[in-house]
Amino acid sequence: MADAPALLEAQGLVMRFGAFTALRGISATIRGGEVVGLIGTNGAGKTTFLNMVTGYLRPTEGRVLLEGRDVTGTGPREMVGRGLARSFQVPQLFPEMTAREHLVLAEALADQGQRSLLGPLPEGGRAEAMLARFGLAAIADTAVSLVPQGQRKLIDIAMALMLRPRLLLLDEPTSGVSSAEKGPLMQTVFEAIRAGGVTVLFVEHDMEIVERYVTRILAFRDGELLADGTPEAVLRDREVARSVLRRKEVAT
Amino acid sequence: MFRRADLRLAAAGAVLLAATSLMPGWLLVLAATALAKGIVALGLLLLMRAGLVPFGQAMFYCLGGYAAGLGSLWLGIRDVLLLLLLAGLAAGAAGWVVGLLIRRYRGIFFAMLSMAFSMILYGVLLKSQDLGSSDGFSVPRPTLLGLTMTGTPALRILFAVTVLLTVLLAWGVSAYLRTAMGQIGPAIRQNEVRVSYLGYEPDRLIHREYAASGLLAGVAGALVAMLVGQVDPGMGFWMTSGEFVFIAILAGTGGIWGSLGAAFILEAVHAIAFDVAPTYWRLILGGTLLVMILRFPAGLSSLAPRRVRRA
């Protein structure tokens, strides 16, 4: 996959919030077809990185390239228009709306190029299939503020997938989800992802999940890229083990 | 295509039209003013659904009134429908221009900025001697399709035009609220960041809806100007805006009926209170509104049965 074209490129990204520097010059490339895991302790800059490459934050220094085109400083709307979608660590939903309304709205906005938004909502379309795939049919008509956290995560991710992205960024898809639910959740997510042939970058703390799904790992520490390589190589790296995984000894 | 709600709207319009010949002049003016304010409230409904309350909507109301008056005096346009079109386009265009700036603001900043613009217009009109300064000027009686209108029959015709226009605009707004785009406003209110991450620019929707609300307020201002036969800068004063905001809050965000109903209630209470206690009418008006807001915190439109989704 090393020869696949670069989908997303971060070049020397620096982010300062006043006197605090969250990212200190991160460069990384994600190629089509990869599933990349982003690991690091809290405060290492993982979410800041996602916020920058999705256009929510403008980097203090550095550039973001999407398919070779400089997209630094364009907003999330443009990035989504170019084939990117993301989910959030804390599900970003519309509290008064139901799961079905979320996915139907996402479908309408995904298809806004082909179908006028001044027409009716596309009810009964792709959204129904997505509800079924994520096992959300039973709670499809409940306001999401009354839905358990695990399913809120699924709705959040399903909305991102409704956009038919080429690059999907998942910010801690299993955080706040009980350990029993983590496995099935990731399985559901990855079945849906494989059905669409999507390139994925996901932030995750659970190393079992990381090892099971990723083709490559980026490890952050204090706003710097500590390691970038195959799961085997990165997880055995002495520095990663000590400062990211917080293990005393390297597993052999 | 036509739903039961549309039929109810048409029926309400028909009842009002049928009652026209029975209503005395004062009631015609009162009811037509209430309907016109209902049109303003329809525009505010769009913005309130997106979580925005403009405190300067009187600017467009005033602009519409002046556009109708000046269209008649300066351009020699006498036809009601053409003047309404002119006023709507002028106020809509003004809304689009102001929207270029205001689309980026939310909450109190949005409210105050819109009020600042309206007070600029108020100040300019107050100082414009050609436009009659604080007295404004009288607007000639318009004609309808070449027919000259005078006296009470003129009021009846203007009232009928107002009824038809209100029904038409209310139908347009309710049809818009059922489209996919009509769902984006509430989504922006609930989680604006997520709307951007679904690939739609929230500012863009707010800009469009702000311009549309300006157009509606402009049409309403022109109707009232022709009905009363007079415009003055008071139409653009912040207290007029405050009245619109009050109607909008009383209405809630549930749909067109709340907006139209709230405008009628406010206008009726206003008239009765003024009749009963000319000195203390504000006390009665304020007290009534206080009770209504305490009783219906989500607005009048929360009284309508909620749309039932398929199980």
Side-chain angles (χ1 to χ4, degrees):
Chain A
M1 249 172 291
D3 50 349
L7 201 52
L8 181 74
E9 257 180 281
Q11 299 181 341
L13 290 182
V14 174
M15 189 73 219
R16 292 191 200 97
F17 297 105
F20 173 70
T21 305
L23 287 191
R24 304 162 186 275
I26 297 237
S27 297
T29 302
I30 293 162
R31 297 178 187 284
E34 283 190 301
V35 176
V36 180
L38 178 53
I39 64 172
T41 52
N42 289 327
K46 305 183 299 295
T47 297
T48 302
F49 180 76
L50 283 198
N51 281 339
M52 274 164 53
V53 297
T54 58
Y56 187 66
L57 289 175
R58 177 189 280 268
T60 315
E61 284 170 34
R63 296 200 307 163
V64 179
L65 278 70
L66 193 63
E67 296 183 311
R69 190 198 296 257
D70 191 343
V71 290
T72 319
T74 66
R77 191 200 60 76
E78 288 83 356
M79 298 297 275
V80 171
R82 293 179 197 283
L84 177 148
R86 79 171 284 190
S87 76
F88 295 79
Q89 185 179 353
V90 177
Q92 292 296 310
L93 306 179
F94 307 114
E96 295 164 24
M97 287 164 53
T98 67
R100 175 174 280 123
E101 287 169 335
H102 277 80
L103 298 192
V104 167
L105 181 63
E107 182 176 349
L109 293 176
D111 298 345
Q112 58 182 299
Q114 293 94 56
R115 187 172 44 205
S116 168
L117 287 172
L118 287 171
L121 283 165
E123 285 182 270
R126 284 197 293 129
E128 295 304 317
M130 191 66 85
L131 283 170
R133 183 187 282 280
F134 276 83
L136 294 168
I139 53 109
D141 292 312
T142 310
V144 294
S145 52
L146 304 172
V147 166
Q149 178 74 0
Q151 287 176 317
R152 289 165 59 85
K153 278 283 202 198
L154 286 176
I155 297 167
D156 188 89
I157 296 166
M159 274 170 95
L161 280 169
M162 285 303 291
L163 301 173
R164 284 192 278 230
R166 276 171 293 143
L167 175 61
L168 178 65
L169 302 128
L170 303 170
D171 194 356
E172 303 200 19
T174 67
S175 77
V177 176
S178 74
S179 48
E181 281 179 294
K182 277 184 186 180
L185 184 149
M186 289 308 287
Q187 204 170 338
T188 312
V189 170
F190 271 88
E191 274 168 20
I193 287 170
R194 286 186 188 122
V198 187
T199 304
V200 182
L201 170 67
F202 78 105
V203 175
E204 183 56 65
H205 284 295
D206 186 326
M207 290 309 140
E208 267 182 51
I209 287 173
V210 171
E211 278 192 279
R212 188 178 313 156
Y213 292 105
V214 304
T215 56
R216 187 154 65 95
I217 294 182
L218 303 174
F220 282 17
R221 182 183 61 185
D222 298 334
E224 282 170 346
L225 183 60
L226 183 63
D228 175 357
T230 62
E232 297 75 30
V234 172
L235 293 179
R236 274 156 217 272
D237 183 280
R238 188 175 293 272
E239 276 299 298
V240 171
R242 196 176 60 81
S243 57
V244 178
L245 306 178
R246 299 283 165 85
R247 289 192 190 128
K248 289 210 173 74
E249 295 297 324
V250 177
T252 46
Chain B
M1 180 67 201
F2 288 98
R3 304 180 174 219
R4 185 167 287 169
D6 298 332
L7 292 177
R8 275 202 292 272
L9 193 60
V15 168
L16 282 173
L17 283 180
T20 307
S21 55
L22 305 173
M23 290 157 80
W26 63 270
L27 188 57
L28 285 171
V29 174
L30 199 67
T33 309
L35 286 171
K37 287 182 179 169
I39 295 176
V40 179
L42 289 173
L44 289 180
L45 173 65
L46 298 179
L47 294 170
M48 291 248 305
R49 278 167 61 91
L52 296 168
V53 181
F55 217 97
Q57 205 66 0
M59 168 170 60
F60 303 115
Y61 183 70
C62 182
L63 263 178
Y66 272 76
L70 295 178
S72 182
L73 289 178
W74 289 359
L75 305 177
I77 303 171
R78 285 291 150 91
D79 190 78
V80 177
L81 302 179
L82 286 179
L83 287 172
L84 286 170
L85 186 68
L86 174 74
L89 290 179
W96 197 83
V97 171
V98 173
L100 288 172
L101 179 69
I102 213 167
R103 58 186 274 172
R104 283 185 276 155
Y105 295 87
R106 303 290 182 271
I108 190 74
F109 305 102
F110 179 89
M112 289 295 114
L113 196 58
S114 75
M115 179 161 145
F117 276 111
S118 85
M119 290 311 284
I120 291 173
L121 177 71
Y122 175 75
V124 168
L125 291 177
L126 208 60
K127 299 286 175 202
S128 302
Q129 298 204 343
D130 288 346
L131 299 178
S133 300
S134 62
D135 293 335
F137 57 88
S138 36
V139 177
R141 270 271 179 262
T143 61
L144 178 64
L145 307 172
L147 292 169
T148 316
M149 302 190 282
T150 49
T152 312
L155 287 182
R156 286 195 213 292
I157 293 170
L158 280 174
F159 175 75
V161 169
T162 309
V163 169
L164 290 174
L165 205 56
T166 307
V167 168
L168 190 71
L169 294 172
W171 177 78
V173 168
S174 73
Y176 170 75
L177 295 184
R178 288 196 300 264
T179 65
M181 198 182 282
Q183 307 307 311
I184 301 174
I188 290 174
R189 174 171 53 79
Q190 292 172 52
N191 193 338
E192 180 166 347
V193 169
R194 189 61 196 238
V195 174
S196 333
Y197 274 110
L198 289 177
Y200 197 89
E201 184 61 59
D203 290 0
R204 189 165 163 224
L205 185 86
I206 286 165
H207 191 179
R208 289 177 174 186
E209 295 194 342
Y210 187 73
S213 81
L215 185 149
L216 290 169
V219 168
L223 280 169
V224 170
M226 291 187 281
L227 205 68
V228 179
Q230 173 81 20
V231 289
D232 67 71
M235 285 179 87
F237 195 49
W238 66 265
M239 280 180 70
T240 313
S241 295
E243 199 184 334
F244 294 148
V245 168
F246 225 110
I247 292 173
I249 289 172
L250 189 59
T253 56
I256 57 164
W257 289 104
S259 305
L260 297 177
F264 256 98
I265 288 176
L266 190 95
E267 210 51 27
V269 174
H270 185 283
I272 294 167
F274 196 73
D275 196 46
V276 173
T279 324
Y280 300 109
W281 65 274
R282 283 204 173 90
L283 199 65
I284 298 177
L285 186 64
T288 315
L289 294 173
L290 196 64
V291 169
M292 294 203 63
I293 284 182
L294 288 174
R295 181 68 190 79
F296 311 117
L300 286 179
S301 56
S302 64
L303 296 179
R306 264 194 70 80
R307 186 169 50 119
V308 182
R309 299 189 64 86
R310 67 184 182 287

